[in-house]
Amino acid sequence: MGVMRIGHASLKVMDMAEAVRHYEKVIGMKTTMQDKQGNVYLKCWDEWDKYSLVLTPSDQAGLNHVAYKVQHDADLDALRQRIEAYGISTTMLPEGTMPATGRMLQFDLPSGHEMRLYATKEFVGTDVGSVNPDPWPDDIKGAGAHWLDHCLLMCELDPETGVNKVAENTRFVMECLDFGLAEQVMVGPDSRIQAATWLYRTTTPHDIAFVGGPRRGLHHISFFLDSWHDVLKSADIMAKNKVRIDVAPTRHGITRGETIYFFDPSGNRNETFAGLGYLTQPDRPVTTWTEDHMGSGIFYHTGELVPSFTEVYT
Amino acid sequence: MLHRVIIRQTGECCACSSDESLLAGLVRLGRRGIPAGCLGGGCGVCKVRVLRGRVRRLGPVSRARVTLDEEARGYTLACRVAPCSELELEVAGRLEKPFFKGFAASAGRVVGK
């Protein structure tokens, strides 16, 4: 079936001890592994593979790569052919390039972000197990995020020069990786410029999102919570830990997510959100937001765009 | 201890404690449009150039936002330094545009957007 879901994000952090403290104590992940290069691997309690986040020591913030898991090892060969035929070069990284992880198909999206696909990662099980499980484990810390859910990548968009990496990425992931388009923001004369897109492989509104901006970057990685109350509680945890909150709890019109945005200690934006939105299906009509309603699409209650939300990213 | 911070481009002053970030002092100018971004040295929106005076580093500054060459010329991020003396600085980078927009607005007693 090809791509199943987001598998992990690899983030650059400038202070490893602070970063680990944040992702353990605030997000509620657990460290599962460290390697000789000083990279730290973490997972959420409801995830069954060995890690979903890799922190790498760096002199800057931002995304190294984002990886998606495919169902079968043979999918990697089939997808490689399709991606190469599309005109994008790929590299097959051998098993063990990343610890506990099988071979990985590495390539750059049209926007320049590095993406990797893999089929196998060491199975460790969720914290409640798979036989007669409790609904949640007893040792949840912080927000107690269930899983890494999606990421939003900022892609170069300049209508004056005709550069639109949002549209290019969208076309690529739909044609080569079989993503479906759930929602889009259309701007400009006759609403012809695709300025932002939300795409899915699962049955939820987004597994990846692309938004236009002046330069390539990472807007956020997002973690799933059960309910609106959990979003509120995660805000309490951020206040307790003096975490820089970007957008206090609210709802998105786009995807209907209940959300809070904040920054990790290196300035990488995180989201914890609740609400699976709606059931995405290949025959579901694409939701379109027009430029005059973009504010409501992003923050449904106020309908107002927050400059830092679109201008600040790593 | 409070130190005077002078913004060369507008002549404005604010007081900033040696225990807090320069950005916290700038925010107290009360202007609209002073971009306080991630506060972690990663996003780079609060870039400034220190022209005179000494600052103390509060934490890492992204090399993607302040190059070694820029650092040698006094550039840094306001969220990641505290003043150790009276300072004179220029706002730079992405801070510059909203900063002057806000200045023009308050100078003309216009409610800026």
Side-chain angles (χ1 to χ4, degrees):
Chain A
M1 78 166 260
V3 173
M4 292 192 293
R5 63 173 185 276
I6 193 167
H8 65 257
S10 173
L11 291 191
K12 289 178 265 199
V13 299
M14 297 187 285
D15 182 326
M16 185 57 76
E18 282 284 298
V20 170
R21 202 189 71 87
H22 171 84
Y23 286 100
E24 285 186 348
K25 198 175 172 193
V26 177
I27 305 291
M29 303 182 87
K30 285 182 179 169
T31 296
T32 55
M33 194 167 41
Q34 297 187 30
D35 65 24
K36 288 184 197 123
Q37 289 76 43
N39 303 312
V40 176
Y41 300 75
L42 303 100
K43 77 180 272 293
C44 298
W45 70 264
D46 217 1
E47 293 170 327
W48 50 90
D49 283 346
K50 181 101 179 188
Y51 63 90
S52 61
L53 181 66
V54 189
L55 303 175
T56 73
S58 178
D59 62 1
Q60 53 192 261
L63 181 74
N64 292 307
H65 71 264
V66 60
Y68 283 74
K69 191 175 188 186
V70 303
Q71 190 170 13
H72 304 293
D73 189 68
D75 292 339
L76 297 174
D77 301 312
L79 289 169
R80 182 178 202 178
Q81 279 189 3
R82 288 172 66 181
I83 295 165
E84 296 268 353
Y86 192 86
I88 289 177
S89 60
T90 65
T91 305
M92 192 67 81
L93 303 170
E95 180 175 358
T97 302
M98 292 182 75
T101 311
R103 63 181 184 143
M104 287 181 290
L105 182 62
Q106 176 193 43
F107 54 92
D108 285 346
L109 294 171
S111 58
H113 295 90
E114 183 184 336
M115 183 178 269
R116 297 183 184 183
L117 304 177
Y118 67 94
T120 53
K121 191 181 275 183
E122 185 184 333
F123 173 87
V124 293
T126 74
D127 282 15
V128 292
S130 304
V131 180
N132 309 323
D134 292 315
W136 41 269
D138 285 332
D139 59 349
I140 287 180
K141 271 193 188 173
H146 286 244
W147 58 74
L148 176 69
D149 187 87
H150 64 267
C151 66
L152 193 165
L153 305 178
M154 294 298 287
C155 305
E156 200 186 337
L157 174 65
D158 185 352
E160 283 184 17
T161 57
V163 172
N164 187 349
K165 298 296 181 186
V166 172
E168 287 184 40
N169 274 9
T170 301
R171 183 168 157 241
F172 168 73
V173 301
M174 291 179 78
E175 287 189 15
C176 281
L177 307 179
D178 298 323
F179 275 73
L181 181 62
E183 308 204 21
Q184 60 183 350
V185 172
M186 301 298 291
V187 304
D190 304 323
S191 296
R192 274 184 305 209
I193 299 167
Q194 194 176 38
T197 54
W198 287 259
L199 299 120
Y200 64 92
R201 276 294 302 163
T202 63
T203 55
T204 62
H206 57 335
D207 298 304
I208 197 164
F210 306 120
V211 172
R215 62 171 172 85
R216 175 175 82 225
L218 171 69
H219 189 274
H220 70 266
I221 58 169
S222 182
F223 297 91
F224 181 74
L225 300 175
D226 254 345
S227 72
W228 172 240
H229 185 265
D230 292 330
V231 173
L232 186 70
K233 189 182 166 196
S234 76
D236 295 343
I237 287 152
M238 287 165 215
K240 278 189 185 186
N241 287 281
K242 305 280 182 274
V243 171
R244 165 74 169 164
I245 292 176
D246 184 30
V247 179
T250 184
R251 180 200 282 279
H252 288 305
I254 297 162
T255 75
R256 301 180 190 155
E258 300 147 7
T259 179
I260 177 169
Y261 287 93
F262 50 102
F263 294 101
D264 82 5
S266 295
N268 295 304
R269 189 186 275 98
N270 295 165
E271 176 188 33
T272 49
F273 84 107
L276 290 172
Y278 46 82
L279 179 71
T280 47
Q281 294 282 281
D283 65 336
R284 185 182 188 276
V286 174
T287 299
T288 297
W289 297 83
T290 54
E291 194 165 1
D292 55 330
H293 284 74
M294 189 163 57
S296 305
I298 296 178
F299 299 119
Y300 184 66
H301 298 153
T302 60
E304 285 173 15
L305 289 171
V306 177
S308 69
F309 189 70
T310 45
E311 291 164 16
V312 172
Y313 56 97
T314 56
Chain B
M1 185 180 174
L2 282 176
H3 296 291
R4 198 155 74 115
V5 177
I6 304 153
I7 296 141
R8 177 172 287 183
Q9 292 121 312
T10 64
E12 286 171 288
C13 293
C14 65
C16 185
S17 164
S18 48
D19 298 329
E20 67 181 357
S21 74
L22 203 46
L23 185 61
L26 289 171
V27 165
R28 266 205 307 281
L29 278 171
R31 293 256 228 85
R32 293 187 67 149
I34 291 183
C38 72
L39 304 195
C43 76
V45 295
C46 62
K47 196 167 176 175
V48 295
R49 183 181 185 186
V50 178
L51 301 164
R52 184 170 57 82
R54 285 174 296 113
V55 293
R56 175 173 64 92
R57 185 69 78 84
L58 298 173
V61 168
S62 169
R63 192 52 81 206
R65 303 289 165 253
V66 179
T67 64
L68 268 176
D69 178 56
E70 287 175 324
E71 189 176 288
R73 290 186 286 129
Y75 286 95
T76 189
L77 301 181
C79 72
R80 302 270 70 179
V81 292
C84 300
S85 69
E86 180 174 296
L87 291 184
E88 188 169 357
L89 59 83
E90 276 178 357
V91 295
R94 294 168 72 190
L95 179 56
E96 200 168 342
K97 200 169 137 193
F99 195 85
F100 292 118
K101 204 169 161 186
F103 183 68
S106 52
R109 299 210 174 277
V110 176
V111 179
K113 199 187 169 191

